[in-house]
């Protein structure tokens, strides 16, 4: 697989990764290779999930963090269309790399607001304020959420 990636044959490399995953999903670096291929093929969401899976076993893999940050594209429309799926993605990201990627608690709070889980949204915003105290937008949304919903 590594040779295919080096040759920039990402579709073939991904097919080999998928075969290997079917046979033995615990192979070392399998999710890493998948994340690299998927990111190169512009399959952003899948690349982020694969990178998160790799971070679960290799928490200091800077390339995986880079793949997550560069492919994390969550438009507001996505939050409105599928808040539960988006929330699941954000929870995984926070679990594996939350302290290294800013803005995740803010996005998580937006999903929770759409799902009418307001107390959890306030908690997420409070975490966001602690993580990024200089980010006025997180604090402003926290204040508005507390006022609007009398929490």
């Amino acid at each position: 697989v590594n040779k295919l990636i080096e040759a920039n044959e990402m579709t073939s490399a991904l097919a080999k990764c998928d075969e290997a995953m079917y046979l033995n999903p615990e192979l070392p670096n399998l999710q890493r290779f998948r994340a690299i291929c998927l990111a190169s093929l512009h399959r952003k969401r899948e690349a982020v999930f694969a990178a998160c899976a790799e971070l679960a076993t290799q928490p200091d893999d800077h390339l995986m963090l880079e793949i997550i940050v560069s492919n994390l594209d969550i438009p507001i429309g996505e939050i409105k269309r599928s808040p539960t799926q988006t929330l699941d993605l954000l929870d995984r990201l926070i679990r594996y790399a939350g302290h290294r990627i800013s803005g995740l608690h803010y996005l998580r709070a937006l999903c929770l607001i759409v799902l009418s889980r307001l107390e959890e949204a306030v908690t997420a915003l409070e975490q966001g304020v602690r993580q990024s105290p200089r980010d006025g937008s997180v604090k402003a949304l926290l204040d508005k959420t507390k006022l609007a919903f009398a929490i």
Side-chain angles (χ1 to χ4, degrees):
V1 171
N2 201 27
K3 288 181 182 182
L4 289 170
I5 290 173
E6 288 173 5
N8 202 30
E9 295 189 28
M10 299 301 177
T11 304
S12 298
L14 182 59
K16 292 286 184 193
C17 287
D18 290 344
E19 282 178 38
M21 183 175 274
Y22 177 75
L23 297 172
N24 184 0
E26 302 302 317
L27 283 173
N29 294 319
L30 182 59
Q31 292 294 349
R32 185 177 206 277
F33 291 140
R34 288 187 79 249
I36 292 167
C37 294
L38 290 163
S40 294
L41 295 169
H42 306 288
R43 292 168 58 180
K44 293 180 175 193
R45 182 175 278 270
E46 292 168 280
V48 168
F49 277 116
C52 284
E54 182 64 19
L55 282 175
T57 59
Q58 300 296 324
D60 295 322
D61 190 327
H62 296 288
L63 179 59
M64 294 302 99
L65 288 172
E66 185 179 314
I67 285 174
I68 291 169
V69 170
S70 62
N71 288 283
L72 186 61
D73 181 17
I74 303 175
I76 298 299
E78 179 77 14
I79 292 173
K80 288 181 180 176
R81 263 192 314 281
S82 55
T84 304
Q85 286 180 311
T86 305
L87 184 60
D88 290 343
L89 169 64
L90 291 167
D91 285 342
R92 286 179 75 178
L93 288 173
I94 289 167
R95 192 168 37 253
Y96 299 122
H99 61 287
R100 293 174 269 190
I101 304 171
S102 64
L104 296 178
H105 293 289
Y106 181 86
L107 292 171
R108 185 172 191 277
L110 293 176
C111 292
L112 292 164
I113 289 169
V114 169
L115 293 167
S116 298
R117 292 165 53 184
L118 305 177
E119 288 182 14
E120 290 175 83
V122 168
T123 301
L125 289 166
E126 289 170 343
Q127 291 169 328
V129 168
R130 279 193 300 277
Q131 183 184 30
S132 305
R134 291 183 252 230
D135 186 346
S137 61
V138 178
K139 178 74 169 113
L141 183 59
L142 173 61
D143 293 341
K144 286 179 185 176
T145 303
K146 283 182 171 181
L147 277 174
F149 301 109
I151 293 176

